[in-house]
Amino acid sequence: MSLSKRIRAISPSPTLAIDAKSKQMVADGIDVVNFSVGEPDFDTPDHIKEAAIKAIHDGFTKYTAAAGIAELKKVICKKFVDDNGLEYSPDQIVVSVGAKHSLFNAYQALLDEGDEVILQAPYWVTYPEVIKLAGGVPVVVDTDETTGFKMTPAQIREKLTPRTKVINLNSPSNPTGAVYNRKELEAIAEIVLENNLYVVSDEIYEELVYGGVEFVSFAALGEQVKNRTIVINGVSKSYAMTGWRIGYAASPLDLAKGMAKLQGHVTSNPTSIAQKAAVAAIGGPKKPVRDMVKEFDKRRKHMAERVNRIPGFNCGLPDGAFYLFPNVEYYFGTEIAGRKIETSDDLAEVILEQAKVAVVPGSGFGSPKNIRFSYATSMERIDEGLDRIEALLK
């Protein structure tokens, strides 16, 4: 069978590949410590599960409006007012099957063939793929530890061409945990307005910031900026609801209508039951979120301290999300357990095979000198996994 060019151009997700391999090892009876997966290890709070159960008992199991139920859109609008100082009407909200789906919709609605999207590396592995699927061209801005894994205005200006249409932002960032402050975002907003660009701002880790760091939504920088911004968010990370698959986009009305029209032909509505659960999550008590963030903060500090004790591993303390992204270039050219290490892929593979610990190589994130650790697991498993890695590398 001859696959289409667009499918042949897609790179497989390294995070899902590592996760699948580690899960197969577990199924084979091997004790694997999994630092690869990007989902909270906490259970979905009870009040959210109860809302879903009630929806089933109430018979709320039919089709809904393609772009989401009115009740959920109203709750999302209230969240934007309360948390971000942003006013949206319900018809500017499109609820989708996860934030990944929202990103797909946004780029399909924004891009024509050959339009360029400025994208910082390290990036979440799916960004370049959804851009390419929409006919766009990812234009990568390389960042590293020296810039705090954040693009500078000078770097962005260097990449501007007549085909530039969008800047892709992710703050807090996967895989680095970097968080742009207000001043840094304002400098990017200036470029956006000067050049009539759009911004796709992925804010899925909004709640997961630490140490008094302020989260700033890009759209909150002024009405002109808001009119050039598509905000992407969802319930997966903040409410431990990864499997429920509810994300949403907030955007100017014409773009929202375009995304809703597209979604009507692709998936129709997100799951009716999950939408009711999302109403309870976004409109419900924040204590479960605060408790989860408090625990993540402890793990963040502990894991960073432990990782930096491993010879050749070097990482800062991230301000957000639940990842560490140490530089491991020190080991390139060495031999571990009889295997020559040339890349972060080699190192991740030998760590999985020999230490039975799953980490994700940085190559899939556009940063081949790094590997990603998730601290969305218990303190005991963090210590167990790092003990194994330390023993292997010694």
Side-chain angles (χ1 to χ4, degrees), residues 122-345:
Y123 44 70
W124 179 47
V125 296
T126 296
Y127 293 141
E129 310 308 326
V130 295
I131 291 166
K132 289 186 288 185
L133 278 171
V137 179
V139 177
V140 176
V141 174
D142 290 314
T143 70
D144 57 22
E145 295 83 0
T146 63
T147 62
F149 292 115
K150 291 184 271 191
M151 296 184 288
T152 67
Q155 286 178 308
I156 293 172
R157 291 182 189 280
E158 284 177 5
K159 297 292 185 178
L160 292 174
T161 77
R163 297 307 305 263
T164 306
K165 188 169 187 180
V166 183
I167 297 175
N168 187 98
L169 284 179
N170 178 210
S171 176
S173 162
N174 174 8
T176 68
V179 180
Y180 283 85
N181 63 39
R182 184 177 294 274
K183 185 176 180 181
E184 291 164 338
L185 292 176
E186 286 173 344
I188 295 172
E190 186 176 321
I191 297 171
V192 169
L193 296 179
E194 284 175 1
N195 295 276
N196 294 317
L197 305 178
Y198 288 94
V199 167
V200 173
S201 183
D202 183 354
E203 301 176 2
I204 191 70
Y205 293 95
E206 171 184 1
E207 299 278 4
L208 305 181
V209 291
Y210 313 104
V213 169
E214 178 194 20
F215 168 78
V216 179
S217 176
F218 191 79
L221 297 178
E223 195 63 25
Q224 285 184 296
V225 175
K226 179 187 170 191
N227 291 335
R228 311 295 300 181
T229 303
I230 300 89
V231 177
I232 307 294
N233 212 320
V235 299
S236 292
K237 312 299 182 180
S238 299
Y239 301 97
M241 294 176 67
T242 50
W244 297 77
R245 308 314 301 135
I246 295 290
Y248 55 87
S251 69
L253 184 57
D254 57 342
L255 274 168
K257 287 181 176 179
M259 288 188 282
K261 182 167 62 174
L262 171 66
Q263 185 162 299
H265 290 291
V266 177
T267 61
S268 297
N269 61 278
T271 303
S272 58
I273 300 154
Q275 289 188 69
K276 284 289 190 177
V279 171
I282 299 170
K286 293 290 188 183
K287 185 177 185 302
V289 179
R290 291 195 297 268
D291 290 346
M292 185 169 64
V293 171
K294 187 176 180 180
E295 179 60 28
F296 276 146
D297 192 20
K298 292 177 185 176
R299 297 175 186 179
R300 172 185 73 116
K301 294 171 182 174
H302 180 70
M303 193 181 214
E305 191 274 328
R306 284 290 318 266
V307 165
N308 281 313
R309 274 171 27 198
I310 299 173
F313 280 28
N314 177 36
C315 73
L317 187 64
D319 290 327
F322 41 63
Y323 308 106
L324 298 182
F325 202 58
N327 185 301
V328 295
E329 189 179 12
Y330 172 88
Y331 287 96
F332 296 177
T334 67
E335 191 173 288
I336 300 172
R339 175 166 180 165
K340 190 71 175 290
I341 305 299
E342 301 288 358
T343 65
S344 60
D345 296 73

